[in-house]
Amino acid sequence: MPVLVVKDGPGPGTQVPAQLQRIPIPLLSPTSDCTGKTVKGRVVHKGPLVSMGEDNYVLKTVIQEEDSQQNMSPEHSSINIILFGALAKDYSESVSQGDMLLVTGFTVGNSPTAQKDKLHACNLQLAGDDAWMYVWPSTVSPRASVPRKRTSPASTEVTKAVKVVKYTYVPLSDLKPGVVVNVYAVVTFFKQPFRTKGTDYCSTLKITDQSNKKVGCTIFCDKLEEHPKIFKMGDVIRLHRVKTQLFNGAISLLTSHGFSVVTFDGMVGSPVVPRTSSGSFKFGEEDCQVVEALRTWAANQSLVPAEPCVPLSAVQPKTYFDLTCQLLATAPVDSSCTLLKVWDGSKCPHPLLDVFVEPNTLEGSPTLSKDMANLTANVLVYDNHVEVARQFKPGSYLRIYNLHAVPGASRLPSNDSGQSDQTGHLGFHLHGGTSYGRGLRVLPEDSPDILDLKRILETFSESDINDSSMFEVWSTPPESFGTAPDEIATERTCDHTVEQVSLAEVKSRGPPQVFHVQAQLKSYQPQRLYQSLKLFCHKCKTIELPSESPSRTLTLLMSSQLMGKGKAKELIFLKGATLEETCRIASAYSNIVPVTSPQGTMTPLDLSAPFLFRGTKRYYGCKQCSQLKVGESLGEGVEVWDEKSVADALGVQLLQYGLLMKLELQDGTGSLEALLWRDAESFFHVSAEDAAADQEAQDRVQETMDRLCPPGSSTAERPWMDLCLSAYTVEENGQRRACYQICHTDTRGTNPHTHPYAAPSDT
DNA sequence: GCTTAGGTTTTG
């Protein structure tokens, strides 16, 4: 019983070589040059194996090209294939009608049956060592056969001639002990990989398929990334080369040599995207069909008893649940415990436990405002999960499995000082061990659940932007402060001498004037620091918020003028892309300009969206001052494309990034609100443009604010600041009022080693 | 080199 699979391993030999070029069947003629060419189609007819004497066979089969142009008649896209010798025998035994077939090393002849069968006027003939064949099986075979290498000497020659990539998938109910098989199934239980006492990580699964048999599966592998990427129950899994084994009277599956795994989202209708770290796995349209069949079947089976994923808004105390969330910050607690601060944008009806940690041990954004809004969940991760959790970076998206909602105060040492009574507040524990699938993992940003979560989190920040207290900041024109800036001294280290005064005195003296004050930071806005990023126009002085473009359909366009100069890739026009798509494309090209093309002329979008993407940076244009050039000649004589030359070429008045914050200062005599705007970049030692694109720059701003106003700190704990204040008058609706701005002040010295602009040493 | 785990709640 020879089974024909010669190479069933995921080695390079099973890949269709990339240099082969496919010929559409309708274009085949007896004069076609067939060297290095392939023909592909579905097997629509498979004739009997005809013996012509000892070890000599002939077999006729018909394949039909499925993706031929629609106006081609079917007779031109279907062709006879004649197979000779051992190849015919192997084909007969391993290929079925409905399989997808790709052949190479063929010759083209005239089809003697063209008149009769009305198929292609030519046929393909395959014989000898040059003929190769790749087969993708169309359906899950009910046979419990196992692909394996031929061993008889006679077959060795055949193996040179044929390569058949064919996997047979065995229904779980048909598994017999002691064989290596491939299976397709739906995951009904899983544990994220955990360390064993041996050399490997272990994943424990329970799977089922249409045969309704439930089978346990244990995966050992020393590389985490080669473990199945299972995100939730109901995911579809494809296992290659797993070994059946009797354990406690039942069949179970275990990894065997050459094991590989691919998983898929289990939701009916979601795209069939294989999740794998392997670069050489096989995946064809037949796999799509199997995945979809399993999804549809599982959808009617109630395999997953209750939805384990619960948002914070629906968490019940004392229950276990799965949480899908974004990581805000982490802090190590001790060797067997790590704190994760997370949110999912939903508001928990029960008060959430706050866990205070030393700010210098916290990695990630401040969560103060979200803490106050009862949005931040504090998750304590114990024992075996600590190793996993400490790899996570703030901002990433997580799923935490079997999280325990525990009412009552945390017993963390830092919490014992008793600032507030948190009895009954909900804390979350990921206990040690792996019972009930306890564990946690990062989910990719493009997985369906995370796309949903992102939408929720975005909605949340948009509603936050409309916070009325922020309007005051935005409507204040900071550029209108009056007195000569040169007279304003810097902080205490400056040579300028202005008598230091109290905040009460600043208010009583009024503008226009410059003051030296010593004060502490009482509060600041915006708490979400990315909201401090503003765009402003040097020409007309307007300030805007960065915004994003809506979804459209996507077209890549290139400038014909640039193409003529061989520079087409330096400036790409992109039509109808979403923000996310644009960002992806921007990582591959130096300059991306989103456009619309009404009446066929390329026009930059209205300037509420970036007009240019350069790498991670986005550039905006002023709506009032830009005079867009439509369909005009582009960039004559431009040698270097950067944001300025692109803006010039498009007629865009480039907006500059700026940082705008409102700081509430206090000293013993009172409090006063001051803006940080004109000198914000030197204050923070970052450029606003960097802060718009670079997490590290944003972190630096955050660190500075955390030093001035440590999260959870009392007033007494906050440092004093030497500040230069400029007082000026603003006219609004005919009303004049005093405004204050912090100028010529920077935070150098507070933590000099972290500042790239710190004074150079003498060496 | 060829085991490891084999679902079923920490005790913070």
Side-chain angles (χ1 to χ4, degrees), chain A residues 194-264:
Chain A
F194 56 93
R195 240 188 226 294
T196 64
K197 288 174 187 159
T199 56
D200 294 341
Y201 288 92
C202 175
S203 295
T204 302
L205 323 176
K206 185 143 273 179
I207 60 176
T208 189
D209 67 3
Q210 290 95 330
S211 74
N212 245 322
K213 178 89 173 174
K214 286 198 168 60
V215 174
C217 181
T218 305
I219 287 156
F220 290 115
C221 186
D222 60 349
K223 296 188 187 69
L224 272 175
E225 66 271 18
E226 287 174 18
H227 277 258
K229 299 178 196 316
I230 303 171
F231 302 155
K232 63 193 329 183
M233 293 184 208
D235 280 355
V236 172
I237 189 167
R238 186 187 81 176
L239 292 156
H240 281 175
R241 279 168 297 275
V242 281
K243 185 166 58 186
T244 53
Q245 200 182 52
L246 261 187
F247 175 74
N248 283 345
I251 287 280
S252 63
L253 291 167
L254 196 65
T255 41
S256 78
H257 187 66
F259 153 83
S260 72
V261 62
V262 183
T263 57
F264 307 86

Side-chain angles (χ1 to χ4, degrees), chain A residues 462-476:
Chain A
E462 278 163 22
S463 65
D464 201 50
I465 284 171
N466 292 329
D467 181 349
S468 59
S469 63
M470 286 306 299
F471 258 107
E472 200 185 343
V473 177
W474 293 338
S475 58
T476 305

Side-chain angles (χ1 to χ4, degrees), chain A residues 326 328 343 352 365-376 460 527-528 530:
Chain A
Q326 186 181 33
L328 295 167
W343 74 320
L352 292 174
S365 327
T367 55
L368 201 59
S369 59
K370 290 178 195 120
D371 282 345
M372 289 174 172
N374 211 44
L375 290 163
T376 308
F460 195 89
Q527 281 279 311
R528 290 154 196 266
Y530 63 85

Side-chain angles (χ1 to χ4, degrees), chain A residues 59-296:
Chain A
L59 187 147
K60 187 168 112 169
T61 191
V62 179
I63 64 168
Q64 181 172 10
E65 188 161 276
E66 292 194 325
D67 43 1
S68 275
Q69 291 177 343
Q70 287 176 345
N71 55 4
M72 288 285 183
S73 52
E75 51 266 40
H76 291 113
S77 58
S78 299
I79 193 164
N80 280 292
I81 301 182
I82 318 296
L83 305 160
F84 297 93
L87 186 60
K89 189 160 186 288
D90 288 345
Y91 182 92
S92 164
E93 288 167 0
S94 64
V95 180
S96 311
Q97 190 172 319
D99 290 354
M100 188 58 73
L101 188 71
L102 182 144
V103 297
T104 183
F106 49 83
T107 56
V108 183
N110 285 312
S111 170
T113 56
Q115 291 289 327
K116 196 171 79 185
D117 59 26
K118 307 273 191 245
L119 299 182
H120 202 290
C122 300
N123 63 20
L124 303 179
Q125 295 162 24
L126 279 111
D129 285 354
D130 292 333
W132 294 71
M133 195 179 282
Y134 299 80
V135 178
W136 292 268
S138 66
T139 50
V140 173
S141 161
R143 287 169 293 143
S145 61
V146 184
R148 69 172 66 117
K149 263 186 186 174
R150 291 187 73 157
T151 48
S152 72
S155 65
T156 330
E157 285 183 21
V158 178
T159 65
K160 285 181 190 159
V162 192
K163 281 204 172 181
V164 179
V165 182
K166 182 180 173 68
Y167 286 89
T168 304
Y169 297 97
V170 183
L172 296 178
S173 59
D174 290 1
L175 294 174
K176 303 284 180 289
V179 289
V180 174
V181 294
N182 308 314
V183 297
Y184 250 111
V186 176
V187 176
T188 59
F189 174 81
F190 64 99
K191 288 183 176 184
Q192 294 301 335
F194 56 93
R195 240 188 226 294
T196 64
K197 288 174 187 159
T199 56
D200 294 341
Y201 288 92
C202 175
S203 295
T204 302
L205 323 176
K206 185 143 273 179
I207 60 176
T208 189
D209 67 3
Q210 290 95 330
S211 74
N212 245 322
K213 178 89 173 174
K214 286 198 168 60
V215 174
C217 181
T218 305
I219 287 156
F220 290 115
C221 186
D222 60 349
K223 296 188 187 69
L224 272 175
E225 66 271 18
E226 287 174 18
H227 277 258
K229 299 178 196 316
I230 303 171
F231 302 155
K232 63 193 329 183
M233 293 184 208
D235 280 355
V236 172
I237 189 167
R238 186 187 81 176
L239 292 156
H240 281 175
R241 279 168 297 275
V242 281
K243 185 166 58 186
T244 53
Q245 200 182 52
L246 261 187
F247 175 74
N248 283 345
I251 287 280
S252 63
L253 291 167
L254 196 65
T255 41
S256 78
H257 187 66
F259 153 83
S260 72
V261 62
V262 183
T263 57
F264 307 86
D265 187 272
M267 191 168 64
V268 174
S270 75
V272 181
V273 182
R275 305 199 284 245
T276 175
S277 61
S278 161
S280 67
F281 71 103
K282 313 300 161 312
F283 179 71
E285 33 200 301
E286 292 76 13
D287 290 82
C288 283
Q289 289 170 17
V290 177
V291 170
E292 278 163 359
L294 275 168
R295 284 172 169 179
T296 309

Side-chain angles (χ1 to χ4, degrees), chain A residues 477-496:
Chain A
E479 67 288 344
S480 59
F481 73 94
T483 52
D486 288 342
E487 291 175 18
I488 302 171
T490 62
E491 56 178 313
R492 287 268 185 242
T493 52
C494 68
D495 53 3
H496 169 84

Side-chain angles (χ1 to χ4, degrees), chain A residues 145 153 209 312 332 363 379 501 554 568 572 602 732 734 744 749:
Chain A
S145 61
D209 67 3
L312 288 174
E363 186 191 341
V379 176
V501 294
L554 184 143
I572 301 283
M602 288 192 288
E732 238 170 13
H744 290 175

